[in-house]
Amino acid sequence: MSTIRPVVKFNPGEPVGSFCSRLAAAYGLRSASYFAELFEFSFWGLLNGGPRDMRIFAEITGVPTTRLDVGVASVGRDVMINGHRFARRFVDPLRCRLCPQCVIDGMGPQHNPTRSYSKVEWALKSMRCCPIHDRELMTFKGRTWQDSADFAWVVRENLKLIERSTSQLRSSPFEPYVSLRLNEDLVSDAWLDALPLQTAIHFTETLGAVMRHGSEPDLETLTSSEWVDAGREGIAVTSAGLAAVKEVLHEIASRPMPRGRKSLTMVFGRLAAEVLEFENDPGYREVISIMREVVGE
């Protein structure tokens, strides 16, 4: 199979689907799916890390599969992002999310939309704003899943909306932490860093929401701004270590309650309900054990 000359650069932290999408657009093709069809591989297979599709794409672009093996891929009921496993609840793989300022800056002085690229962290629902530009992420859904996953197509179809966006949302230390954990093999002795990324994100955000809104926050109705504030509150505690986490849990557990044996959900409310829902996922049992320890003290 012949190798083509990539007319766009494959960027660090870029999903392979975004690279394929921009390459197709740069060659004037109508979609990434059509590009894949011409070279006899599946765009959907490429998005999901299919070995055959990855091999063919690597051959035609000259980019090794070891470099291409980055991004978002379905694994049964879960989704893998850069080797981190997430339940589908925490990922938005069928809609395109982007920072409008990143897209505009990426186009460069020639205003070339194919130079803008997606970032793997944008697939996570917990990334609600860009820590570089303090801009709220925009979300787009195409007519089909192929359209939604075709980054260059999304940018081309929605460029005027992207350019007019003015929605500011001040980030916190939570967003760069998530991005760093997702994109680098972070080696640290810190308590939070030792947790699987889904657990670290979920517990941090929910703890922050409980700290701000009480033990039974209506998480389903929180705005993006309220979630960012929850991440700000939560990361200040969880990044400080286990002692700080226990201190806050003790404060939550000290509120007046009926006498008698107390369950975790009675003591910690929505926080306990959230972590217990994922009890069988890696990392959650450690958090549950800490909560039980606090209740028993």
Side-chain angles (χ1 to χ4, degrees):
M1 182 173 294
S2 61
T3 298
I4 65 172
R5 181 175 63 88
V7 291
V8 293
K9 182 179 70 172
F10 183 46
N11 299 280
E14 178 181 10
V16 65
S18 168
F19 180 43
C20 178
S21 169
R22 295 187 305 113
L23 195 56
Y27 274 106
L29 302 177
R30 64 177 182 265
S31 69
S33 295
Y34 180 61
F35 175 88
E37 183 181 330
L38 289 177
F39 286 94
E40 300 183 337
F41 70 93
S42 163
F43 182 49
W44 177 248
L46 185 70
L47 291 171
N48 286 280
R52 176 183 178 275
D53 306 291
M54 293 285 284
R55 176 180 55 78
I56 293 175
F57 189 65
E59 288 176 359
I60 64 176
T61 61
V63 180
T65 54
T66 51
R67 282 194 60 210
L68 293 173
D69 192 15
V70 62
V72 185
S74 296
V75 180
R77 295 183 178 181
D78 296 332
V79 177
M80 296 294 292
I81 305 180
N82 283 8
H84 298 272
R85 185 180 291 268
F86 296 90
R88 288 188 178 271
R89 169 183 160 181
F90 302 101
V91 183
D92 206 354
L94 297 182
R95 296 194 298 174
C96 180
R97 303 172 75 241
L98 56 85
C99 166
Q101 195 61 51
C102 283
V103 169
I104 293 168
D105 290 352
M107 289 191 296
Q110 301 301 317
H111 207 69
N112 182 355
T114 64
R115 290 186 57 185
S116 296
Y117 63 96
S118 182
K119 298 180 181 180
V120 288
E121 57 262 39
W122 291 346
L124 285 175
K125 292 181 180 179
S126 59
M127 290 294 289
R128 297 175 179 86
C129 62
C130 173
I132 300 172
H133 299 108
D134 286 338
R135 299 288 297 275
E136 184 172 4
L137 299 189
M138 301 179 74
T139 302
F140 299 99
K141 184 174 176 61
R143 293 163 298 183
T144 65
W145 65 261
Q146 290 99 325
D147 289 342
S148 298
D150 195 336
F151 186 77
W153 181 91
V154 169
V155 171
R156 185 170 65 245
E157 292 294 309
N158 299 282
L159 188 54
K160 289 184 179 179
L161 284 174
I162 294 169
E163 289 177 328
R164 289 200 300 263
S165 173
T166 58
S167 182
Q168 299 289 319
L169 190 55
R170 188 170 66 89
S171 62
S172 76
F174 176 73
E175 286 78 26
Y177 173 80
V178 172
S179 179
L180 180 66
R181 281 284 310 267
L182 192 64
N183 286 293
E184 297 187 18
D185 187 13
L186 190 63
V187 179
S188 167
D189 293 331
W191 176 79
L192 186 63
D193 298 344
L195 291 176
L197 188 51
Q198 176 186 304
T199 314
I201 291 172
H202 188 199
F203 180 68
T204 294
E205 279 197 312
T206 310
L207 181 65
V210 167
M211 292 169 67
R212 290 186 63 82
H213 302 285
S215 61
E216 292 293 345
D218 189 352
L219 301 181
E220 289 70 28
T221 64
L222 293 186
T223 65
S224 293
S225 178
E226 288 172 326
W227 271 118
V228 170
D229 287 339
R232 181 178 288 106
E233 293 271 0
I235 195 72
V237 176
T238 56
S239 64
L242 182 55
V245 170
K246 286 185 176 181
E247 182 178 347
V248 172
L249 291 178
H250 274 293
E251 290 175 5
I252 297 172
S254 65
R255 62 190 174 89
M257 281 177 285
R259 291 188 176 184
R261 186 174 181 180
K262 300 176 180 63
S263 65
L264 287 185
T265 52
M266 182 183 296
V267 176
F268 296 110
R270 186 63 186 269
L271 178 62
E274 288 289 312
V275 297
L276 287 168
E277 180 181 349
F278 294 92
E279 182 175 6
N280 293 324
D281 285 19
Y284 281 87
R285 289 185 180 177
E286 179 181 341
V287 174
I288 293 169
S289 176
I290 293 166
M291 296 169 76
R292 284 179 175 149
E293 180 183 334
V294 168
V295 172
E297 289 178 354

